[in-house]
């Protein structure tokens, strides 16, 4: 009788062990989904790290807008044949001349110096009527004329601001929208018209001020 109880006890123990083994196998089978979930989390972390790295990259260097004259531009004095006045112009710019007009150009910028005899000094009214009328027929898409009297180191001048299209580039055919500043200086029957031009989006306020403030009668 005692032997029968021992056998039964062993059988119960065996059943318990079998159940434990079955539970263990069942638990291990749930491992892969958990591992897969961890792997997915790792992938998400990697993507986030990559994005953060890209945003931390330095921004590309931006060049100056077309027509901007460099801040370190040097200037040299220009004196016409026969004298009369002097004015600083950007060093290294190409120079052309015809009659009483001398032009300095570099890329998209231009400085034109024109001399003429005049019986009277230009006024805001005369420039607003005579000069504006003439330029309408000379400058393509002439627009927005504004005339005012300003002071420079050489004294009073009549300033005409306007916009117009440049001549087409002989190679590319490209046309640039230009902003113009025309300063009319006068003394004792002599008039000097100093016209500065460049693309409308260029920031050339300081360079143009250097040029116009350098004008002086001799």
């Amino acid at each position: 009788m005692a032997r029968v109880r021992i056998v039964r006890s062993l059988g119960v123990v065996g059943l318990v062990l079998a159940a434990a083994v079955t539970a263990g196998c069942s638990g291990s089978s749930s491992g892969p989904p958990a591992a897969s979930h961890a792997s997915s989390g790792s992938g998400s972390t990697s993507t986030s790290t990559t994005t953060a790295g890209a945003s931390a990259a330095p921004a590309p260097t931006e060049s100056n807008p077309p027509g901007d004259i460099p801040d370190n531009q040097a200037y040299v004095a220009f004196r016409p044949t026969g004298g009369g006045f002097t004015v600083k112009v950007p060093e290294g710019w190409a120079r052309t001349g015809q009659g009483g007009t001398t032009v300095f150009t570099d890329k998209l910028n231009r400085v034109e110096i024109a001399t003429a005899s005049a019986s009277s000094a230009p006024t805001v009214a005369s420039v607003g009527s005579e000069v504006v009328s003439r330029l309408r027929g000379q400058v393509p898409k002439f627009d927005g004329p504004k005339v005012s009297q300003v002071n420079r180191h050489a004294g009073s001048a009549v300033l005409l601001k306007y916009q117009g299209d440049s001549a087409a580039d002989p190679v590319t055919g490209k046309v640039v929208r230009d902003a113009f500043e025309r300063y009319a200086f006068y003394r004792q029957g002599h008039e000097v018209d100093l016209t500065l031009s460049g693309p409308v989006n260029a920031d050339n306020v300081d360079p143009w001020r250097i040029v116009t403030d350098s004008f002086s009668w001799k």
Side-chain angles (χ1 to χ4, degrees):
M1 194 66 174
R3 184 178 297 175
V4 172
R5 289 178 180 172
I6 292 172
V7 170
R8 287 179 178 175
S9 298
L10 291 174
V12 171
V13 172
L15 290 173
V16 171
L17 290 174
V21 170
T22 301
C25 292
S26 175
S28 67
S29 67
S30 65
S36 175
H37 177 74
S39 174
S40 174
S42 173
S44 174
T45 302
S46 174
T47 301
S48 175
T49 301
T50 301
T51 302
S55 63
T61 302
E62 295 184 3
S63 60
N64 289 335
D68 268 18
I69 297 173
D71 293 337
N72 61 352
Q73 172 67 54
Y75 298 83
V76 294
F78 165 73
R79 296 179 180 85
T81 302
F85 68 90
T86 182
V87 62
K88 288 183 179 180
V89 295
E91 184 178 29
W93 285 24
R95 173 180 170 177
T96 57
Q98 183 176 2
T101 301
T102 304
V103 177
F104 296 87
T105 57
D106 180 69
K107 299 173 184 175
L108 302 177
N109 292 298
R110 189 172 187 268
V111 175
E112 178 182 300
I113 306 165
T115 61
S117 298
S119 58
S120 61
T123 64
V124 170
S126 67
V127 171
S129 59
E130 299 168 14
V131 177
V132 168
S133 178
R134 183 173 72 248
L135 292 176
R136 281 191 194 280
Q138 297 175 345
V139 180
K141 296 184 180 179
F142 178 90
D143 188 39
K146 295 181 180 179
V147 187
S148 62
Q149 190 162 349
V150 297
N151 289 316
R152 289 295 185 265
H153 288 331
S156 178
V158 178
L159 168 61
L160 168 60
K161 290 185 176 182
Y162 60 95
Q163 292 186 8
D165 283 357
S166 69
D169 185 281
V171 178
T172 65
K174 183 178 180 181
V175 174
V176 177
R177 188 65 176 170
D178 282 338
F180 294 79
E181 293 184 5
R182 179 187 183 275
Y183 294 79
F185 296 92
Y186 177 85
R187 191 181 76 164
Q188 300 175 354
H190 299 283
E191 181 175 337
V192 177
D193 298 324
L194 182 59
T195 303
L196 318 169
S197 63
V200 293
N201 291 325
D203 182 13
N204 289 330
V205 174
D206 291 339
W208 289 161
R209 184 74 189 214
I210 291 173
V211 173
T212 57
D213 260 344
S214 73
F215 180 88
S216 62
W217 296 102
K218 299 296 183 182

